[in-house]
Structure formats: structure tokens, C-alpha cells
């Protein structure tokens, strides 16, 4: 066996399903391949290829279209084309073109067949049910497996340090070094000679060894830096780093990875991490006496998301934690408003909708809320609620929960109504469903009472659920809405990406990933008359009903957790890099393995949308 | 040489004077005809690692070859063979091809490797990048071991690259027609340089790309590719 085709073997080894093959088998594979080159704009599969084979894209890009010419997917490096080995019709159904000059490997079907027969893990890629693959994938995105909460016991040093390494050369003057530290707003400075770690300068060194000692600030920094250094590794657990620091009585440790300094961890990083814990935040919020304090606490929410993700939290855990903080801020704003304005003229219920109701918020969610009044107000009484709503919604806006773009807020008189009016609203939506109106109103079908001392909400909710579960036309309309946003997956299990514009070559994880599942969960819950609003709980509650099988529900739960977790992780990376969080993910940023799982999740959503559509004959209304 | 009739006559005439052996076997295959469609022709991409550039004084250290059937590379036939060196390898050249004396000592006799290479070449067109070097070394080795030079049809990917640039009246630097520059130009993956097999594969891939680019839908004949 020639080992010179190592490069090709390594390529295969890093892409699923080949990563599941033992090394000695992988080593024999390159010799079984045929290589073809297709110019940009060539037909795919090539017409002069007579024997069916598995196509593996080595270099380039291929667009796949269905018979009507609609773009259904795109193959990127490392992707395999739908296997013509199972069914030659698949191959004939593709009308692909190469969108770049492409180099393609062909693996004969006969070899593929043998591998599938012999290696179950490899075969699983082709015949394992989508759901099984997905379930095992969830653990892999939550980096270190499912972990409840966040603590220094589980977080790694590398996730606590910033991206930028601030350093200076030993001959830098003390004054210059101080300026660098002040500009970078850091309490320590790494001293590097070319690529070698030479020392560490801290604020304390500046004080004790320069200012207090009367040393000229024009002297080189090497005269006052600490030279004998203890370091820590990037993979060290947070609490171990903390133990090291207290044992050595130092406040800073350079962090090393592969022999290179990658940053500095300080005791304040560790303390800050602890304080970003949602428990600490909620405690601070309860004690806050003014808006300014609340705003300062709310600023830590992005940090909370970063740390939760870093310590392996799932999307659900992140959503629950962030919503807990939002709820606390919202409640405290209501308390502060009532303290300013005096007690309300009569009882009311502060309702929240959308992601806050579902306990599925992430950093940068907007607000949706409404007021349910115990009775019809006089103009004077309405003025009170008007002021209360304005104070709370503006306060939320200041805290980063921006005003709802659709004005679904308690400050809008339309959404500040007594029970009788709310009843009429819902009756109208449910019994005379108009598609456009329903779209806007869908936020009200995820509704939760946040502040409701007199329990006004229960009777409204009971009535809503009775009506929705009895009204098939309404459910059909909701179902039609729920299947409007299709996952970005072509017929051949390839990503369909946004093209051009600001989000070129990405897909929208929220609109095309989590929203379709959340929408489906809502339809099932309303149809079954279930009061839960959290999507996972809704799916668990309806599992095993006529509308949704136990497997179907479990699969949707897994898909939601997987996509949601990729989403919070994507956002955490953005927040950590100092960018605004969004939902636009490029498939290139996923590992080949994750890309495969992503496709599985999308395929699963699409098939359950299909089922939902058929069940409620949603097509009639869409 | 692009004239099929002349070349065939020469082959038949030479074969009478050749002793039985690998070279004669190679001659016994008719040479691919120049007016064949290029996709109906078989090729063998070959790369040699040598101690220098001069066949008279330098020696072959390794062979790498990859068969190409029309417009497909068949990796099944890919081979990498080390040759047992007759003289110590100079430090300068070892830096480039990274073949040490120890490794070269484990190689096979040149005669065996050459015989296998000729067998693989039978009926195929030789494809090489800057083919003069490969041809020169093959000729010298065959003359020395079998008393006669091989008769070959040759496609030189370097010459093809130059031709297409010159046809477009484009100025170019020598670096632009190196194997790795061409691979990049055609969006091909870069395989490690200076291993005879990976260079042969690089050459084969560049050849696929070049012929795909020359193939405009009108008949493209082997004649149009030959050096």
C-alpha cells in the first residue's frame, strides 16, 4: 500500500460519514477513487459517467435544482451528493450545475455497499433514522455534555479570557506600558520578547515598584515586571485556576496553549464570572432602588449568555436563565412604578407574550406585553395605567428589551383592556380567523401572567383554550402559518442559503430553524387545550396524542434543542467578539459533523411540517 | 511528433531490433493515435524525483505515476516507487525531495522500477509537467539498461499552460506556470510538493483541468494536446 495518498485519506477522515471508519480501512480508500474535474457551469452529475457511484465533492461548489429549475440545495467541500447507489432515479432527478470549478471523487457503489455492510457507524449515516443521529448530536454541541447551571467547577479558563492579548516588549518604558494598559483597560500586561513570554506587569507593580519606589517612569518595564511566572493552561478548570492563585497569592496568571501565551486570567475575571450567574443577577435586581441600577444589571445579560454557553448549557437552560432575569427586571419595574404612582385603582394583570412568555429569551430579545384590567377604567383610572405601562415599557427598553416593533405593548391602549374586551378579541381571532390578523395576534397565543395578585388571568386563559381546542378552522389557519417558514433544506438534504446582501451565504437559524418548531408546538398545544407556553413543555404534553406521536414529539424536542443550542452558541461567540448578536449562521462555521446533524434536524422539521399540513389540511388556507 | 503514419512505421521498424524485455513489451502496444478524441485516449501522469537536472550525471530517486483514462484519474493505478541509489545523495538535493541515503538504500533496482513504469505506460500518452526532464531521464535509463530509447507520445502540462497564455497574448512569469500556481488557478487542492506521487497526481489534476478548459464542445483531439 502506498502511503503517499495520505492527503486524500486525511480529507476523507475529516468528513462524515468517512470519519466513522477505522484507520486501516480509510487508508485503502483513496485507491478505490476515481477523480473528475468539472468546469464551472458544467452539468452535474456528468453525463458521460455511466457507472453509479457516490460523489464526494473535494473542491468547488455544486448547485442542485429540481426538475422545474428551482434551487434545492448546494454541495460544499466535503459534502456527498445523494447516493445514486441506493436508487438510480435519485441521480437522474438531479439537475445540478457546478457553480465553481470542481474536483470530485467517485467511490464505486460496490465499495460503498461493502463498507456499509461491514461498518455500522458508517452505514448509520445512510440508513440510521434521523432522530437517532440528532439525539447523539445534542451532547456534542453542548460541548461538555449537559450540565445544569454554570459554575467555576465546569467553566474552562479559555472561556473566561478575552480574545485580544495585550503585550509589550521588555524595553518599553514604564510610562508607555502604563498607557497601553490604560488604553486597553486591563489590569495587567504581558511582556513578550518576540514570541517568548518574558514577564508580567500588573497595576500593583506600577504602584509598588515604580511610583512608591520613586523609580523614573522612563526606565524600561523589564526592571519592574515579575519575571518568575506561574502560568496556567487554557483547558484548566476555573476553580483550579482560582486555587492556584490563592495558593501563590497572585491575582494574575498568564494562560498558555501549545506553548504560546494566549491571555491573562485575573481574579476579577473569575469573580465577574461568578457574578454573571443568573442567581446573583436576580438578587441584585430585587435590591435595585432605581432604573440606573437595573440598567447596569441588565448589561450583564450578554455576559450571562456567554458564560452559560461556555459551561455547556443547552438552549433551554439559557432561555430559562435569561427569562428569569428579564422577569425579575420586569417585576421590579412594576414595583417601582407602583411605588411612584401609588397603588392601582383596581386589580390588574401584567401579561407577557412571545419569547418571554415561553421562557425562551436570549440576549437582545424585544418586549411583548399587555394589561388585563379587572374592570373597564374611567378616563382618570386609565391615565394611571397609562403612566404605569409607560414607566415599565420604557424601563424595559432602557434595559435592552427594546420596544416591540409591532407595538404589542401595555403602553398601547389597544392592549390595555378589561377582561370583556380581551374576550372579544380572542373570540374574533378564533372564530373569524383572518390570516394577516392572526399573524400579528400569534404573540397572544403565547401568553403568561407575570404580575397577577388577584388571579385575573386564569379565567381568560381557560376560555381561550376551550375555544381553540374546539375550533378546527382556527387550528387549520394556525397550522397554515406554522408551515409557512420551511427549513433551509433542499430536496437532497442540502442547505439553501441566503444569497447576496448583508447575510450572504448564511441561513436564519431563528426564522427557518427554531420558529417553525415553536409554531408547530403552539398549534398542537392550542389544539389540545394545553395551558403550557414553553415549547419543550408543550411538545412533551402533546406527545403521544393523535396529532403528534411520541417519536415525532421527541424528535421535535431534540431538533429544537440542537438548533437552539447552535443559535445561543453562535450568539455567544458574537457577543464575546464584541458584536451584536444575530441569527445568521454560515454553514462554513459548522464542523462537517455538525453540518450533517443540522441537515438532519432540518429534514426532520420539514417532514413534521408535512404531517401537520396534511393533518389540518393547512394547504387550503395558505 | 504528430504524424500517426510516420510514428507507427518507426515503431514497427524499431521493434525488430529490440531484444525481448520490458521496452519491447512497451513498443508492442500501438501508440495512441493523434486524431483520436482526447477522451478516448489513455494517459499516464509521471513525475520523477532526481538528484539533479542532468540525465548524464544525475540519477533517478523515485517514480510516481497515476493513470488517467480519458477525463478520469484512476487512483487505483497510482504508484510510488523508490529507486536504490547508486551514489550517495548530495545534501542539496536531499533538502528538496527529502529522500535520504537510508531511504534510497531501501529502494528497488532502477531496472525493476523502470520495467514496471514502461509496462504502465504501454499504449498510453505520457503526461508530465516540464516533460523534458522526465523524458531525458527515461531515455537515458532505457538506453543504459535496454540499449534503446522509448518511443512515446507526450503531453506537457507546462507547454499547454504556456500555449494557452500566449494564445491570449498574456504576459506571464515563470512562476505563473509552475504546477502549484496552475493548481490554484484551476481551483484544485494543493497536495504536498516534491513527492513523486503527489506531484504526478498534481500534474494529472492540472491536466484534467486544462483539457476541460480546452474542451469547448467541438471535437478536441489528442493532436491538439500533444507537445
Amino acid at each position: 500500500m502506498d502511503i503517499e495518498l495520505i492527503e486524500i485519506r486525511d480529507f476523507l477522515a475529516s468528513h462524515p460519514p468517512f470519519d466513522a471508519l477505522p484507520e486501516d480501512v480509510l487508508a485503502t480508500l483513496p485507491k478505490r477513487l476515481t477523480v473528475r474535474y468539472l468546469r464551472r457551469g458544467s452539468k452535474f452529475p456528468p453525463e458521460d459517467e455511466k457507472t453509479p457511484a457516490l460523489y464526494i465533492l473535494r473542491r468547488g461548489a455544486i448547485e442542485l435544482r429540481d426538475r422545474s429549475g428551482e434551487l434545492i440545495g448546494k454541495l460544499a467541500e466535503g459534502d456527498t451528493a445523494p447516493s445514486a447507489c441506493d436508487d438510480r432515479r435519485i441521480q437522474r432527478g438531479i439537475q445540478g450545475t457546478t457553480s465553481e470549478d470542481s474536483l470530485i471523487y467517485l467511490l464505486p457503489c460496490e465499495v460503498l455497499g461493502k463498507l456499509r455492510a461491514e461498518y455500522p457507524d458508517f452505514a448509520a449515516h445512510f440508513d440510521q433514522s434521523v432522530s437517532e443521529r440528532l439525539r447523539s448530536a445534542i451532547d456534542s454541541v453542548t460541548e461538555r455534555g449537559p450540565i445544569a447551571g454554570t459554575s467555576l467547577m465546569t467553566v474552562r479558563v479559555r472561556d473566561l479570557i478575552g480574545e485580544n492579548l495585550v503585550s509589550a516588549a521588555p524595553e518599553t518604558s514604564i510610562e508607555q506600558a502604563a498607557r497601553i494598559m490604560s488604553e486597553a483597560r486591563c489590569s495587567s500586561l504581558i511582556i513578550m520578547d518576540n514570541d517568548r513570554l518574558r514577564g508580567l506587569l500588573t497595576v500593583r507593580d506600577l504602584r509598588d515598584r515604580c511610583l512608591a519606589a520613586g523609580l523614573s517612569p522612563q526606565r524600561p518595564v523589564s526592571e519592574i515586571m515579575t519575571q518568575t511566572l506561574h502560568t496556567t493552561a487554557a483547558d484548566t478548570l476555573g476553580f483550579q485556576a482560582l486555587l492556584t492563585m490563592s495558593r501563590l497569592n497572585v491575582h494574575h496568571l498568564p494562560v498558555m496553549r501549545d506553548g504560546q501565551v494566549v491571555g491573562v486570567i485575573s481574579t476579577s475575571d473569575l469573580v465577574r464570572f461568578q457574578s454573571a450567574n443568573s442567581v446573583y443577577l436576580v438578587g441584585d435586581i430585587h435590591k435595585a432602588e432605581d432604573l440606573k441600577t437595573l440598567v447596569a444589571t441588565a448589561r450583564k445579560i450578554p455576559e450571562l449568555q456567554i458564560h452559560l454557553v461556555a459551561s455547556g448549557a443547552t438552549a433551554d437552560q439559557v432561555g430559562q436563565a435569561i427569562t428569569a432575569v428579564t422577569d425579575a427586571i420586569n417585576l421590579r419595574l412594576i414595583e417601582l412604578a407602583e411605588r411612584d404612582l401609588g397603588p392601582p385603582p383596581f386589580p390588574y394583570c401584567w401579561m407577557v407574550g412571545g419569547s418571554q412568555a415561553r421562557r425562551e429569551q436570549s440576549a437582545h430579545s424585544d418586549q411583548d406585553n399587555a394589561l388585563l384590567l379587572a374592570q373597564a377604567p374611567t378616563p382618570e383610572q386609565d391615565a394611571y395605567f397609562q403612566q404605569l405601562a409607560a414607566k415599565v415599557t420604557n424601563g424595559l427598553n432602557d434595559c435592552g428589551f427594546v420596544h416591540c416593533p409591532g407595538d404589542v405593548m401595555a403602553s398601547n391602549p389597544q392592549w390595555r383592556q378589561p377582561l370583556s374586551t380581551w374576550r372579544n378579541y380572542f373570540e374574533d381571532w378564533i372564530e373569524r380567523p383572518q390570516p394577516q390578523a392572526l399573524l400579528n395576534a400569534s404573540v397572544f397565543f403565547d401568553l403568561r401572567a407575570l404580575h397577577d395578585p388577584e388571579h385575573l388571568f386564569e379565567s381568560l386563559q381557560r376560555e381561550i383554550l376551550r375555544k381553540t381546542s374546539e375550533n378546527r378552522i382556527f387550528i387549520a389557519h394556525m397550522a397554515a402559518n406554522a408551515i409557512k417558514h420551511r427549513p433551509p433544506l433542499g430536496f437532497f438534504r442540502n442547505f439553501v442559503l441566503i444569497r447576496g446582501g448583508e447575510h450572504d451565504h448564511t441561513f436564519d437559524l431563528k426564522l427557518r430553524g427554531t420558529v417553525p418548531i415553536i409554531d408547530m408546538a403552539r398549534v398542537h398545544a392550542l389544539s389540545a387545550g394545553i395551558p403550557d407556553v414553553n415549547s419543550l413543555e408543550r411538545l412533551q404534553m402533546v406527545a403521544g396524542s393523535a396529532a403528534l406521536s411520541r417519536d415525532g414529539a421527541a424528535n421535535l424536542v431534540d431538533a429544537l434543542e440542537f438548533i437552539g443550542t447552535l443559535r445561543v452558541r453562535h450568539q455567544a461567540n458574537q457577543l464575546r467578539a464584541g458584536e451584536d448578536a444575530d441569527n445568521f449562521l454560515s454553514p462554513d462555521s459548522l464542523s462537517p459533523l455538525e453540518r450533517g446533524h443540522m441537515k438532519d434536524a432540518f429534514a426532520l422539521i420539514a417532514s413534521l411540517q408535512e404531517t401537520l399540513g396534511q393533518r389540518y389540511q393547512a394547504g387550503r388556507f395558505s | 511528433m504528430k504524424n500517426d503514419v510516420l510514428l507507427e512505421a518507426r515503431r514497427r521498424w524499431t521493434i525488430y531490433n529490440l531484444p525481448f524485455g520490458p521496452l519491447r513489451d512497451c513498443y508492442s502496444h500501438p501508440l495512441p493515435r493523434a486524431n483520436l478524441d482526447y477522451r478516448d485516449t489513455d494517459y499516464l501522469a509521471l513525475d520523477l524525483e532526481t538528484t539533479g537536472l542532468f540525465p548524464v550525471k544525475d540519477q533517478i530517486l523515485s517514480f510516481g505515476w497515476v493513470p488517467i483514462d480519458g477525463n478520469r484519474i484512476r487512483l487505483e493505478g497510482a504508484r510510488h516507487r523508490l529507486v536504490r541509489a547508486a551514489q550517495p545523495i548530495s545534501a542539496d538535493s536531499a533538502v528538496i525531495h527529502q529522500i535520504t541515503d537510508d531511504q534510497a538504500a531501501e529502494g528497488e533496482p532502477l531496472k525493476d522500477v523502470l520495467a514496471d513504469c514502461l509496462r504502465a505506460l504501454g499504449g498510453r500518452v505520457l503526461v508530465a509537467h516540464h516533460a523534458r526532464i522526465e523524458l531525458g531521464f527515461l531515455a537515458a535509463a532505457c538506453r543504459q539498461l535496454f540499449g534503446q530509447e522509448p518511443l512515446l507520445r507526450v503531453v506537457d502540462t507546462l507547454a499547454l499552460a504556456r500555449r494557452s497564455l500566449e494564445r491570449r497574448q498574456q504576459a506571464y512569469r515563470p512562476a505563473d506556470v509552475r504546477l502549484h500556481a496552475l493548481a490554484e488557478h484551476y481551483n484544485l487542492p494543493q497536495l504536498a510538493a516534491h513527492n513523486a506521487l503527489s506531484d504526478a497526481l498534481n500534474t494529472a489534476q492540472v491536466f484534467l483541468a486544462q483539457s476541460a478548459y480546452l474542451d469547448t464542445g467541438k471535437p478536441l483531439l489528442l493532436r491538439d494536446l500533444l507537445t
Side-chain angles (χ1 to χ4, degrees):
Chain A
M1 166 67 204
D2 289 309
I3 55 157
E4 281 74 17
L5 297 172
I6 280 180
E7 206 266 349
I8 296 175
R9 180 203 67 190
D10 288 349
F11 169 79
L12 291 176
S14 63
H15 290 90
F18 299 97
D19 56 345
L21 292 173
E23 268 192 43
D24 53 328
V25 177
L26 269 171
T28 64
L29 279 191
K31 288 236 153 167
R32 313 306 305 267
L33 298 175
T34 302
V35 186
R36 297 214 47 176
Y37 182 85
L38 299 180
R39 281 181 62 176
R40 183 188 304 126
S42 307
K43 281 193 175 162
F44 178 87
E47 284 168 321
D48 57 350
E49 199 58 58
K50 303 284 182 292
T51 36
L54 180 72
Y55 290 86
I56 309 152
L57 185 58
R58 172 60 212 261
R59 202 67 193 278
I62 296 172
E63 287 182 351
L64 299 174
R65 291 171 192 279
D66 63 16
R67 284 182 179 280
S68 59
E70 196 72 18
L71 183 69
I72 48 173
K74 205 166 169 182
L75 297 183
E77 223 167 280
D79 285 339
T80 52
S83 162
C85 300
D86 292 326
D87 189 346
R88 300 242 23 209
R89 276 173 305 178
I90 294 180
Q91 199 170 1
R92 268 179 261 133
I94 312 176
Q95 320 238 322
T97 28
T98 50
S99 54
E100 285 170 26
D101 289 340
S102 300
L103 193 73
I104 299 163
Y105 294 154
L106 282 72
L107 185 70
C109 287
E110 160 217 0
V111 180
L112 181 69
K114 278 188 191 145
L115 291 173
R116 283 171 68 169
E118 212 164 321
Y119 301 99
D121 288 350
F122 176 81
H125 181 85
F126 297 92
D127 49 31
Q128 181 191 38
S129 82
V130 166
S131 55
E132 283 168 55
R133 251 187 287 165
L134 200 55
R135 216 153 290 166
S136 60
I138 291 177
D139 282 355
S140 70
V141 285
T142 55
E143 289 165 294
R144 279 164 294 280
I147 291 162
T150 78
S151 77
L152 289 178
M153 301 299 285
T154 54
V155 74
R156 309 263 163 182
V157 164
R158 62 163 178 265
D159 296 317
L160 294 176
I161 58 175
E163 297 251 299
N164 296 328
L165 175 67
V166 186
S167 67
E171 56 274 14
T172 315
S173 74
I174 296 172
E175 186 185 345
Q176 185 62 28
R179 205 171 301 133
I180 293 171
M181 288 167 71
S182 139
E183 271 162 20
R185 297 167 163 276
C186 52
S187 60
S188 66
L189 185 65
I190 288 277
I191 309 300
M192 301 260 276
D193 196 358
N194 291 321
D195 276 348
R196 287 205 45 202
L197 174 64
R198 272 290 137 80
L200 182 74
L201 181 76
T202 65
V203 172
R204 215 199 311 185
D205 297 330
L206 288 173
R207 183 190 71 196
D208 296 352
R209 295 183 192 162
C210 174
L211 292 173
L215 190 73
S216 159
Q218 299 313 319
R219 303 296 304 162
V221 77
S222 53
E223 291 185 14
I224 62 164
M225 68 186 185
T226 305
Q227 299 195 30
T228 44
L229 286 180
H230 294 272
T231 60
T232 184
D235 288 335
T236 308
L237 291 169
F239 82 96
Q240 286 172 327
L242 191 59
L243 285 178
T244 309
M245 285 194 239
S246 57
R247 179 167 55 82
L248 301 169
N249 192 27
V250 296
H251 293 92
H252 298 84
L253 286 176
V255 179
M256 313 292 286
R257 181 164 52 209
D258 304 328
Q260 292 287 314
V261 196
V262 291
V264 181
I265 181 113
S266 67
T267 40
S268 58
D269 291 327
L270 296 166
V271 170
R272 186 156 12 94
F273 171 75
Q274 284 293 53
S275 65
N277 220 312
S278 54
V279 183
Y280 290 82
L281 288 188
V282 171
D284 288 349
I285 291 163
H286 285 313
K287 281 179 276 171
E289 286 300 318
D290 52 23
L291 181 61
K292 219 178 97 200
T293 319
L294 285 177
V295 171
T297 316
R299 280 220 190 93
K300 292 185 185 159
I301 292 178
E303 217 171 298
L304 172 65
Q305 178 164 350
I306 293 171
H307 290 151
L308 284 166
V309 170
S311 58
T314 64
D316 180 50
Q317 288 164 334
V318 173
Q320 298 276 358
I322 290 180
T323 308
V325 176
T326 313
D327 281 0
I329 291 176
N330 201 341
L331 277 170
R332 187 66 187 150
L333 283 168
I334 294 171
E335 284 169 12
L336 292 175
E338 281 195 19
R339 202 172 63 183
D340 281 0
L341 299 170
F346 52 78
Y348 70 99
C349 164
W350 183 277
M351 303 187 289
V352 294
S355 61
Q356 190 183 352
R358 297 192 305 269
R359 301 182 194 279
E360 290 164 11
Q361 280 188 304
S362 61
H364 298 294
S365 292
D366 56 7
Q367 52 172 306
D368 298 298
N369 44 52
L371 271 191
L372 169 61
L373 306 176
Q375 61 191 71
T378 64
E380 200 178 307
Q381 290 168 326
D382 190 56
Y384 174 92
F385 290 112
Q386 153 81 54
Q387 284 178 50
L388 177 103
K391 272 179 184 290
V392 177
T393 54
N394 290 335
L396 283 169
N397 188 60
D398 291 342
C399 287
F401 307 100
V402 293
H403 286 140
C404 169
D407 205 15
V408 180
M409 288 188 296
S411 49
N412 179 348
Q414 194 187 353
W415 308 127
R416 197 170 63 236
Q417 296 291 346
L419 187 60
S420 57
T421 311
W422 278 109
R423 245 187 227 137
N424 291 339
Y425 283 169
F426 276 100
E427 192 172 294
D428 207 41
W429 290 327
I430 295 166
E431 282 168 18
R432 284 169 292 281
Q434 296 301 314
Q436 193 50 43
L438 267 187
L439 217 52
N440 297 334
S442 71
V443 61
F444 288 114
F445 288 99
D446 300 339
L447 209 56
R448 176 162 66 89
L450 182 73
H451 172 77
D452 188 15
E454 300 295 320
H455 306 286
L456 303 173
F457 183 66
E458 265 172 45
S459 69
L460 176 63
Q461 189 185 36
R462 213 177 304 124
E463 214 162 315
I464 296 171
L465 289 173
R466 189 178 52 76
K467 284 206 177 87
T468 58
S469 59
E470 284 169 359
N471 198 310
R472 305 287 297 169
I473 305 276
F474 166 76
I475 293 297
H477 275 280
M478 291 296 277
N481 274 346
I483 61 178
K484 221 170 231 157
H485 300 294
R486 298 289 181 149
L489 198 61
F491 181 65
F492 294 108
R493 300 195 57 236
N494 298 295
F495 295 119
V496 178
L497 303 177
I498 297 169
R499 308 206 71 180
E502 197 187 339
H503 304 298
D504 191 31
H505 278 81
T506 61
F507 51 77
D508 187 334
L509 276 172
K510 185 181 169 194
L511 190 65
R512 314 265 265 158
T514 53
V515 161
I517 305 178
I518 292 167
D519 285 352
M520 281 195 272
R522 183 185 305 115
V523 173
H524 287 304
L526 292 178
S527 161
I530 288 163
D532 298 273
V533 283
N534 178 269
S535 301
L536 292 185
E537 286 167 14
R538 278 174 164 173
L539 290 169
Q540 278 149 7
M541 291 299 288
V542 294
S545 69
L548 187 63
S549 69
R550 212 166 280 284
D551 272 355
N555 287 344
L556 278 181
V557 166
D558 289 340
L560 182 59
E561 278 290 73
F562 181 76
I563 300 171
T565 303
L566 283 183
R567 178 173 166 235
V568 291
R569 195 181 73 179
H570 164 72
Q571 293 185 336
N573 288 339
Q574 289 180 316
L575 294 171
R576 204 193 320 227
E579 298 162 17
D580 281 339
D582 64 29
N583 299 304
F584 299 98
L585 186 80
S586 159
D588 299 340
S589 67
L590 298 173
S591 73
L593 210 62
E594 286 167 347
R595 245 191 288 164
H597 296 315
M598 196 79 198
K599 289 178 180 178
D600 287 349
F602 285 153
L604 210 142
I605 297 169
S607 85
L608 283 158
Q609 280 184 324
E610 204 71 28
T611 316
L612 184 78
Q614 281 163 8
R615 178 164 177 87
Y616 296 110
Q617 295 180 301
R620 285 200 309 192
F621 306 100
S622 57
Chain B
M1 179 165 329
K2 295 184 185 177
N3 188 308
D4 286 337
V5 180
L6 280 179
L7 201 65
E8 184 58 17
R10 201 172 126 194
R11 182 180 74 84
R12 282 164 190 265
W13 181 76
T14 314
I15 207 167
Y16 281 108
N17 300 315
L18 270 174
F20 291 100
L23 192 58
R24 188 181 165 125
D25 293 346
C26 186
Y27 265 79
S28 68
H29 292 278
L31 284 160
R33 282 183 292 118
N35 58 1
L36 269 180
D37 188 293
Y38 84 102
R39 281 171 302 190
D40 297 331
T41 312
D42 295 337
Y43 309 81
L44 189 81
L46 175 73
D47 185 71
L48 302 177
E49 292 295 321
T50 58
T51 53
L53 295 176
F54 305 102
V56 275
K57 68 176 179 73
D58 295 314
Q59 47 181 335
I60 305 175
L61 297 170
S62 67
F63 283 69
W65 67 76
V66 184
I68 308 166
D69 297 354
N71 52 6
R72 299 173 177 76
I73 297 170
R74 302 251 182 242
L75 287 179
E76 197 169 2
R79 292 289 180 277
H80 183 246
R81 305 279 290 269
L82 283 176
V83 174
R84 188 185 300 155
Q87 307 144 23
I89 296 164
S90 79
D92 291 354
S93 77
V95 170
I96 298 176
H97 47 66
Q98 298 185 345
I99 296 173
T100 60
D101 284 332
D102 288 348
Q103 278 175 291
E106 283 172 23
E108 305 162 76
L110 177 61
K111 194 170 182 174
D112 294 356
V113 183
L114 186 62
D116 285 346
C117 179
L118 289 172
R119 220 162 278 142
L121 257 172
R124 289 179 179 265
V125 176
L126 178 85
V127 178
H129 195 73
H130 198 18
R132 224 164 42 134
I133 306 280
E134 270 69 25
L135 282 175
F137 276 93
L138 277 187
C142 284
R143 229 180 9 246
Q144 183 201 334
L145 295 164
F146 306 121
Q148 174 82 41
E149 290 183 12
L151 188 60
L152 294 166
R153 297 217 107 135
V154 180
V155 169
D156 185 345
T157 47
L158 176 70
L160 279 181
R162 279 197 184 133
R163 225 191 288 165
S164 78
L165 285 165
E166 278 157 11
R167 194 170 300 146
R168 279 178 282 149
Q169 299 188 314
Q170 221 168 311
Y172 62 89
R173 294 162 299 168
D176 297 336
V177 289
R178 291 217 179 102
L179 205 46
H180 278 247
L182 291 176
E184 195 174 315
H185 174 73
Y186 289 116
N187 195 29
L188 293 165
Q190 300 276 2
L191 310 176
H194 299 302
N195 163 290
L197 177 55
S198 44
D199 272 349
L201 184 55
N202 278 326
T203 307
Q205 290 177 357
V206 164
F207 174 67
L208 285 194
Q210 285 176 325
S211 49
Y213 265 81
L214 288 170
D215 187 349
T216 52
K218 281 178 254 161
L220 180 67
L221 305 181
L222 174 58
R223 171 190 316 281
D224 305 319
L225 302 174
L226 286 175
T227 306

